[in-house]
Amino acid sequence: MTHSTTRRAMLRGSVATAVLATAGTAAAGTAHAERQGSGPNIGILLYDGYSLLDPTGPAEVLSRLPGAKVTMIAERRGPVRTDTGDVAVVADRSIDEVGALDVLLVPGAGNRGTIAAMGNQVLLDWIRRIHRHSRWTTSVCTGSLVLASAGLLDGREATTYWASADYLESRFDVTYRPERYVRSGKIITAAGVSAGVDMALHLASLIAGDTVAKAIQLAVEYDPQPPFDSGNAAHADPRLKELALRLLAESQV
Amino acid sequence: MTHSTTRRAMLRGSVATAVLATAGTAAAGTAHAERQGSGPNIGILLYDGYSLLDPTGPAEVLSRLPGAKVTMIAERRGPVRTDTGDVAVVADRSIDEVGALDVLLVPGAGNRGTIAAMGNQVLLDWIRRIHRHSRWTTSVCTGSLVLASAGLLDGREATTYWASADYLESRFDVTYRPERYVRSGKIITAAGVSAGVDMALHLASLIAGDTVAKAIQLAVEYDPQPPFDSGNAAHADPRLKELALRLLAESQV
């Protein structure tokens, strides 16, 4: 089998040639090649102590929208570490460099990161400024507490991480809804961590239509089959909840 | 409400104090605080052009295992960019610095990244060396093509990204199984992209038992409710498959 045949066989179907043509013309090496952004300009706000899947799940989905550009943004450029301290994603832009976005996504974090972000007036000011002209302002997990701290959820319905629901309602003028994601005007809040993937597919359908969103779901082979059925707090045993929160606490720095 | 009360109210339930005690004793700022690894030593291999959710979904899940340490590893330390070029995750260790792991995870990539990794003898040698003494060797998406290139899948059953199934079988002595994840001895391969989350929960149960795995599923609120039912290629319309592959190709650099 020649190398060319090998390549051609990697993806079956009529689109394989186009796929490989794209791959073939790509810049080599690790250089950061910027794609032309004919589609939505999507910004994801990183802050110290975020939970890794909160920004990366939606980024995976939204980056497949036609012409989309996804940018990781933080107060300062550079690596931003997760709640466990184990992983860092690079913020390629500082908030000073970003004055407008089509889509803003604010991820959630562990307690330490969430509390810090809720009290960070520089971040909250930037969120308010971006929200003023965004098409969609979104959050995952305790990111809704950050949006609420910025005053964006006043009088609205929203969701959040299951263990933070009481806090959201007691602290802010927000009605908690135990849904996977909740849309209120141009704001969409998602439930905890993995819910960002479902929210992002919904958002993809709002931006580019159902067919594109369905194709993205297929592109990321999102046909979930968890080995257990224990992800919904409304049906969880109190002891399992306690263990879940203990594992979270012990894994965080 | 005092600041202390505010903190205490954030997470409901009896474990809240423990959660906040942990948060309170954490090192401040963005320093990389290393946790003591009394649990599994988990290494995730990054290489240029990987798909973002492949390493980050499992990392989110596995990092909640008691005492676990998750390390992002690459041929060289530093930021490693995804297939879209939009996002970089930092490799905190080079392969030269890592001689043993309890769990190795090899993510998938776009065509460019997959082809390069399959032909990178330095990476393949390292994978073989780590696999010799690992407890579990795992892959997500086209990561199974990389494991196969290292000779680890000879004569085995495995899964991979749906569009790469024919290629896997034609190129290697591997029997493709269209499952969410496939275990063969100490090797577990997962299907495309998002399947890594399901595989990681299964792996969590093998490492720490069903109760811990269920608690982790609750901790990341993994109660999937995608807005569509289009993630399974076996039931997908050919035109949707073509669109999915085109969106992937166009989003990759």
Side-chain angles (χ1 to χ4, degrees):
Chain A
M1 190 185 289
T2 66
H3 190 60
S4 165
T5 311
T6 303
R7 288 192 169 208
R8 209 164 284 137
M10 181 168 289
L11 295 176
R12 67 182 173 218
S14 61
V15 80
T17 308
V19 173
L20 294 162
T22 303
T25 57
T30 57
H32 180 187
E34 304 239 359
R35 282 178 293 134
Q36 294 305 310
S38 58
N41 187 13
I42 297 155
I44 298 180
L45 180 65
L46 300 180
Y47 54 91
D48 191 43
Y50 64 95
S51 302
L52 182 59
L53 187 53
D54 290 30
T56 57
E60 177 68 58
V61 168
L62 298 174
S63 69
R64 310 307 176 184
L65 282 167
K69 169 77 184 157
V70 173
T71 306
M72 295 292 178
I73 305 163
E75 202 167 349
R76 283 171 290 276
R77 285 194 189 196
V80 186
R81 292 227 166 246
T82 60
D83 55 353
T84 69
D86 275 351
V87 181
V89 175
V90 176
D92 285 309
R93 293 285 179 273
S94 71
I95 55 174
D96 292 340
E97 299 174 289
V98 179
L101 291 168
D102 296 314
V103 176
L104 168 64
L105 186 144
V106 178
N111 271 22
R112 179 178 57 89
T114 302
I115 290 166
M118 289 172 69
N120 184 329
Q121 294 304 323
V122 175
L123 278 193
L124 299 181
D125 282 347
W126 181 80
I127 289 170
R128 279 188 286 265
R129 202 159 62 243
I130 294 297
H131 173 66
R132 208 167 298 141
H133 302 290
S134 71
R135 286 169 63 196
W136 301 101
T137 299
T138 68
S139 66
V140 180
C141 201
T142 59
S144 58
L145 297 176
V146 181
L147 293 188
S149 298
L152 304 191
L153 299 185
D154 289 351
R156 293 185 187 264
E157 296 189 323
T159 190
T160 188
Y161 188 53
W162 59 267
S164 300
D166 289 350
Y167 179 77
L168 177 68
E169 286 207 314
S170 68
R171 171 83 191 268
F172 301 100
D173 175 24
V174 175
T175 303
Y176 170 69
R177 278 181 49 203
E179 306 289 337
R180 201 70 180 145
Y181 46 83
V182 173
R183 180 180 164 190
S184 171
K186 72 174 186 179
I187 298 178
I188 310 177
T189 51
V193 195
S194 60
V197 174
D198 294 333
M199 185 272 283
L201 283 169
H202 175 63
L203 180 58
S205 75
L206 293 172
I207 291 173
D210 285 3
T211 302
V212 165
K214 287 177 183 174
I216 292 175
Q217 183 175 350
L218 182 58
V220 300
E221 204 162 345
Y222 186 44
D223 176 37
Q225 296 171 40
F228 308 104
D229 182 24
S230 61
N232 189 322
H235 309 135
D237 183 90
R239 280 173 303 184
L240 198 70
K241 288 186 184 179
E242 189 168 317
L243 179 56
L245 295 179
R246 195 166 71 232
L247 290 172
L248 274 180
E250 291 175 354
S251 64
Q252 292 168 352
V253 293
Chain B
M1 191 184 290
T2 67
H3 190 60
S4 166
T5 311
T6 303
R7 287 192 169 207
R8 209 163 285 137
M10 181 168 287
L11 294 177
R12 68 183 171 216
S14 61
V15 79
T17 309
V19 172
L20 293 162
T22 302
T25 57
T30 58
H32 180 188
E34 303 241 359
R35 282 178 293 134
Q36 294 306 312
S38 57
N41 187 13
I42 298 155
I44 299 180
L45 180 66
L46 300 180
Y47 54 91
D48 192 43
Y50 64 95
S51 301
L52 182 59
L53 187 53
D54 291 30
T56 57
E60 177 68 57
V61 168
L62 298 174
S63 69
R64 309 307 175 181
L65 281 167
K69 168 77 185 157
V70 173
T71 306
M72 295 292 177
I73 304 163
E75 202 168 347
R76 282 171 290 276
R77 283 192 188 198
V80 186
R81 291 229 165 245
T82 60
D83 56 351
T84 67
D86 275 351
V87 181
V89 175
V90 176
D92 285 308
R93 293 286 178 272
S94 72
I95 56 175
D96 293 340
E97 298 174 289
V98 179
L101 291 169
D102 296 313
V103 177
L104 168 64
L105 186 144
V106 178
N111 270 21
R112 178 178 58 86
T114 302
I115 290 166
M118 289 172 68
N120 184 332
Q121 293 305 323
V122 175
L123 277 193
L124 300 181
D125 282 347
W126 180 82
I127 289 170
R128 278 187 288 264
R129 202 158 62 241
I130 295 296
H131 173 66
R132 209 167 298 143
H133 301 289
S134 70
R135 286 169 61 195
W136 300 102
T137 299
T138 69
S139 66
V140 179
C141 201
T142 61
S144 59
L145 297 176
V146 181
L147 293 188
S149 298
L152 304 192
L153 299 185
D154 289 353
R156 293 184 187 265
E157 296 189 323
T159 190
T160 188
Y161 189 53
W162 59 266
S164 300
D166 289 352
Y167 178 77
L168 176 67
E169 286 207 313
S170 69
R171 172 82 190 269
F172 301 99
D173 176 24
V174 175
T175 304
Y176 170 70
R177 279 181 49 202
E179 306 290 337
R180 200 71 179 146
Y181 46 83
V182 173
R183 180 181 163 190
S184 171
K186 71 174 187 179
I187 298 179
I188 311 177
T189 51
V193 195
S194 60
V197 174
D198 294 333
M199 185 271 283
L201 283 169
H202 175 63
L203 180 58
S205 74
L206 293 172
I207 291 173
D210 286 3
T211 302
V212 165
K214 287 177 183 173
I216 293 175
Q217 184 175 350
L218 181 58
V220 301
E221 203 162 347
Y222 186 43
D223 176 37
Q225 296 172 38
F228 309 104
D229 182 24
S230 62
N232 189 323
H235 310 134
D237 183 270
R239 281 172 304 184
L240 198 69
K241 288 186 184 179
E242 190 167 315
L243 179 56
L245 295 179
R246 195 166 70 232
L247 291 172
L248 274 182
E250 291 175 354
S251 64
Q252 292 167 352
V253 291

